[in-house]
Amino acid sequence: MEGEVRDSIQQTLRQLERMPERTPKPVPQAAEPPKPPAPPPIGAMDLAGWAGDDFNRTREALQAALDKAQGRARVEAQIALVRFLLARAMDEEGRAALETAASLSPAPDQRYALRILGDAFRTLDREDAPDDNLFVQLPAGTMADHHVWRSVALAPSRWAAAKEGLPIALRRLLDYPADLRSRLLTTLAAAADEAGDSAALNLIVLEMITVDSKGMADGRLDYFRGRLAELKATPDAALERYDAAAALRRGPFARRAEVRAIELRRGLGRLDEDGAIKALEALRFAWRGDDIETDALAALGGAYARSGRTEAALDIFGLLGRRFGATARGRDALAAGRTLLSAVLDRLEQSPPGGLYALALQARHGRLVTLADGADGGLRLRLATLLLRDGYGLEATRILHALTEGASGPRRAELGATLARALIDGGREGEALDVLARTGGSGLEPALAERRALLRADALLGDGDTVRALDALRGLTGAEAARLRAQGLFAAGEWQAARSAFAELAATGAEPTADDLALQGLSAYLAGDAEGLRTFGEAQRARLAGTRWAGLVDALAPPPADGPLRAEAVERDLATATALDRLARGWRGKP
C-alpha cells in the first residue's frame, strides 16, 4: 500500500511539472475618479447695452423687473442688475447685488454667470493674486471681452503677460461705457508706467486722448502724459503736463502730479532738498483723506531721509502703517512704505557704523517692515546687514532666522550661510552648525557650496572640534581655507606646522591680519624657534603696532644673555605676560 501511494504521488508531481505555468491574475486597480468638466468659455459682453442710455431710467426698469419676478426669473433679474452696475463701474453696489443674487438659490448656469461677474468686479479692485480668476484661468481665444478683462486682471502683478492681449483689449475698450473704460484704462496705464513700458503706455495714452470721457477730466490724462514724457527722457515736457494736471487742484491725479513735479524738479537740480521738503510740507494738509496721501507721505519721508533727518523719516514710516495699515488703502500704504523704507536704508548704509537708527527701526517698526517688504525679503536682509554692522547681532539673527525659514532651494542655502556667519561672529558656533545642517541641499552652485564648507569648518573650529574642522577643510583651497587650516593646527598644538602655515598664508594672495601675525609669532615661540622668532620680530613689529597685539614682540623676546635682572624689567614682563594671557583667552571668547 505504501509503495502504491508513493508511486501515485510521484506520478502526480511529474504531471504538474509538465503543465504550463499560469500567469497570475492582474490585481484589480481602483477606478480613477472622473475629472470635473472644464468650465464653458466666457461669452461676449454687451456692456454698452447693460449700461443703458439713461442711468435713472435703466435702473428703475431693472428694479421694477426685479420686484415682479419670482423663482429663476428673479435670479435672472438680479443678474441683469449686477451687469448694469458693472457697466457703470459701481463697485460697492455691485458687490452687494452679487451677495443678494447668491442668496436667491441660483441654478448652476446662473452661479457660473455670477462668478464671471464677481471676477470682473475683483478685476476692477486690482487684486494682487488673480490666479483663481476665470479670465486668467481660461484661454481667451477670440473673444475680445475676455482679452480686455484678462489684461486688466494681470496688469497690476504680471505686466508681461497682460500686454499680450493689449492691442485687442484697447480696440474693444473703445465700445465700452465711459466710466468703465476710464477705470480700465487707468489700471492699464498705471501698470505700464510701473513696468517702465513706454511703448505700451503710449498706446494707452493715445486711446485716452481719443475717447471723450468725463473720467479723463480730473487730470489723469495729463498725469500719464507726463509719466510718458519722463519715460521718453523729456523732463521739460513732463513738467508742463504735471503743472497742467496740478492746476486743477482737486482729485488724486492732480495731487499726484503736484508731488511728482516737486520730485522731478529736485532730481533736475532746480529745487534743493530743503526746498523740496518745504514744498511737500506745504501740501500736507491738502493730502488728508485724499487717495494720494500715502504716496505723498512716502515722498516727504524720502526727502527727510535724504536730507539726514532720519528720525522724521522713521516717524513718517510708522504713520503710514498705523494710519493706513488696516484700511482699504493698506496695500497702497505698504507700497508707499516700501519706497520710503528703501530710502531710509539707503541713508543708513551711507552713515558711519555704530548708530542707533537701524536698531530703532527694528524695535519700533519691525512688524511694519515685515509687512512692507517684498516676497524676496530684500529690505529685511538689508536691515539685518546694517544691524550686524552696527553690532546688534541678536536682532539681526532674528530677522535672518525668519527669512531663512520662509525661503526654499538655493535661496534658503544662501540665507542659511549668511545666518551661520552672523552666529559664528557672535560666538554661537553650535547654532551655526545646526543652521548649516538644516539649510543644505544638493545641486548648489560651487561657490556657495565652498562658502558653506568654510563656514562649517570655522564653526567646528570655534566649537573646539579641531579634528573635524581640519577634516572639513580637506580639498578646499584659497586664502580663507589656508587661514582656517593654520588656526586649526595652532588649536591642535602643532606649533611648528602652524608657524609654517601662517608664514605661507601670504603665498595664497591674502594679506595676513594682525591676528594671523600674532598667532604666527606665538607658534614660533611655543615651538622653541628662537631664530624664527627673532626674524618675525624684526619683520612684523611695525605691522603689529597700533593693534591689540602691540607689545607682543617685546613680550616674546628672550631675556638678555648676560647682566643682572632688574626688578622693574621683571615687573614689566609679568604685566605684559598677564595682558597677553588675557588677550589670548579672549581671542575666541573661550575661557
Side-chain angles (χ1 to χ4, degrees):
M1 178 68 71
E2 291 179 1
E4 292 178 0
V5 171
R6 188 182 303 109
D7 293 340
S8 175
I9 292 173
Q10 291 177 352
Q11 184 179 2
T12 302
L13 290 174
R14 285 192 295 270
Q15 291 176 355
L16 289 175
E17 290 175 355
R18 289 194 296 268
M19 291 179 63
E21 295 182 358
R22 295 183 180 180
T23 58
K25 293 183 178 180
V27 178
Q29 297 181 354
E32 295 183 0
K35 295 182 179 180
I42 298 175
M45 298 180 177
D46 183 16
L47 287 157
W50 294 349
D53 296 330
D54 183 85
F55 176 84
N56 293 325
R57 187 179 304 165
T58 303
R59 185 159 191 168
E60 289 174 1
L62 290 171
Q63 190 62 46
L66 181 62
D67 294 338
K68 297 177 183 178
Q70 297 293 330
R72 178 183 174 88
R74 184 172 179 81
V75 180
E76 291 293 338
Q78 187 70 28
I79 290 176
L81 178 60
V82 174
R83 287 170 173 166
F84 164 75
L85 296 172
L86 174 64
R88 292 286 181 173
M90 301 176 67
D91 301 31
E92 296 181 3
E93 295 87 345
R95 285 190 292 270
L98 279 170
E99 293 179 2
T100 303
S103 67
L104 298 176
S105 302
D109 60 326
Q110 294 172 328
R111 284 199 300 270
Y112 185 67
L114 288 172
R115 183 182 173 187
I116 293 174
L117 293 171
D119 286 347
F121 277 107
R122 289 168 55 198
T123 300
L124 282 181
D125 287 339
R126 296 180 302 159
E127 58 179 343
D128 287 331
D131 291 324
D132 60 342
N133 193 310
L134 280 175
F135 295 105
V136 175
Q137 289 182 345
L138 299 179
T142 59
M143 298 305 299
D145 291 303
H146 196 151
H147 282 280
V148 170
W149 294 96
R150 178 184 177 84
S151 293
V152 179
L154 291 170
S157 57
R158 298 204 293 270
W159 175 247
K163 67 181 295 185
E164 293 176 0
L166 188 62
I168 300 175
L170 291 178
R171 284 196 300 271
R172 177 61 178 142
L173 278 171
L174 291 172
D175 299 325
Y176 273 35
D179 294 334
L180 183 60
R181 180 174 59 228
S182 297
R183 288 281 299 276
L184 299 181
L185 283 174
T186 300
T187 301
L188 291 171
D193 175 25
E194 186 177 354
D197 191 339
S198 60
L201 183 58
N202 186 50
L203 292 175
I204 299 168
V205 167
L206 286 175
E207 180 146 332
M208 287 180 170
I209 296 173
T210 301
V211 297
D212 182 17
S213 170
K214 65 179 182 180
M216 296 298 166
D218 60 353
R220 76 180 67 191
L221 177 57
D222 281 319
Y223 172 77
F224 284 117
R225 290 181 74 177
R227 293 297 301 148
L228 179 60
E230 275 200 76
L231 291 176
K232 292 182 176 180
T234 54
D236 291 328
L239 284 174
E240 182 181 351
R241 293 298 175 187
Y242 290 148
D243 291 340
L248 298 174
R249 310 295 294 178
R250 60 182 176 82
F253 289 97
R255 303 292 186 196
R256 190 172 284 118
E258 199 166 6
V259 173
R260 186 59 207 153
I262 295 172
E263 290 282 283
L264 182 55
R265 285 189 171 93
R266 183 195 62 80
L268 294 173
R270 302 176 187 177
L271 194 64
D272 60 11
E273 206 67 70
D274 292 337
I277 290 175
K278 290 178 181 179
L280 290 169
E281 286 179 338
L283 297 173
R284 187 165 185 176
F285 289 106
W287 301 337
R288 289 303 293 257
D290 206 340
D291 290 340
I292 186 57
E293 185 174 2
T294 55
D295 293 339
L297 284 173
L300 178 59
Y304 283 148
R306 289 189 299 269
S307 62
R309 298 167 62 179
T310 309
E311 185 68 29
L314 291 181
D315 290 340
I316 294 290
F317 182 67
L319 180 64
L320 283 171
R322 290 192 305 272
R323 181 180 295 175
F324 303 105
T327 66
R329 282 189 285 162
R331 183 175 59 191
D332 295 333
L334 289 179
R338 190 177 302 118
T339 303
L340 174 54
L341 179 58
S342 180
V344 171
L345 293 176
D346 289 341
R347 178 67 186 181
L348 294 180
E349 287 171 349
Q350 297 169 6
S351 62
L356 292 172
Y357 284 124
L359 180 61
L361 177 59
Q362 174 61 17
R364 291 163 52 187
H365 308 301
R367 179 177 175 274
L368 182 57
V369 170
T370 303
L371 292 175
D373 198 5
D376 60 347
L379 295 176
R380 280 176 291 167
L381 183 58
R382 290 176 62 188
L383 178 56
T385 304
L386 283 169
L387 290 169
L388 287 173
R389 184 200 69 175
D390 294 340
Y392 308 112
L394 182 60
E395 291 76 10
T397 53
R398 287 175 179 172
I399 297 175
L400 291 172
H401 265 295
L403 289 174
T404 303
E405 293 304 319
S408 60
R411 175 69 173 168
R412 178 179 173 86
E414 185 175 355
L415 287 171
T418 304
L419 174 58
R421 180 74 269 167
L423 291 171
I424 293 171
D425 293 340
R428 298 156 65 183
E429 287 84 0
E431 294 181 48
L433 288 171
D434 181 61
V435 167
L436 290 171
R438 289 188 295 104
T439 59
S442 59
L444 298 179
E445 293 290 333
L448 179 57
E450 182 177 350
R451 178 185 167 200
R452 289 174 57 86
L454 290 171
L455 287 169
R456 182 172 179 273
D458 198 356
L460 288 169
L461 189 60
D463 206 32
D465 198 340
T466 308
V467 176
R468 290 179 63 197
L470 291 173
D471 185 64
L473 291 168
R474 196 183 307 277
L476 297 178
T477 59
E480 187 62 25
R483 178 175 288 110
L484 290 174
R485 192 173 290 110
Q487 292 174 2
L489 292 171
F490 181 86
E494 299 291 339
W495 315 122
Q496 191 64 35
R499 185 194 65 78
S500 301
F502 280 115
E504 294 170 359
L505 183 59
T508 63
E511 183 69 21
T513 64
D515 290 339
D516 296 333
L517 296 175
L519 288 181
Q520 180 184 349
L522 287 171
S523 300
Y525 175 78
L526 294 172
D529 187 357
E531 182 60 30
L533 186 58
R534 186 176 297 105
T535 305
F536 168 80
E538 295 172 356
Q540 309 299 345
R541 182 186 298 273
R543 295 279 302 278
L544 295 177
T547 69
R548 63 176 181 172
W549 298 104
L552 175 67
V553 175
D554 294 333
L556 299 180
D562 52 356
L565 291 176
R566 295 183 178 275
E568 297 83 358
V570 173
E571 291 176 358
R572 184 174 63 252
D573 291 343
L574 289 175
T576 303
T578 302
L580 179 60
D581 180 68
R582 184 170 62 253
L583 285 173
R585 289 176 180 273
W587 181 59
R588 282 301 232 172
K590 299 298 182 181

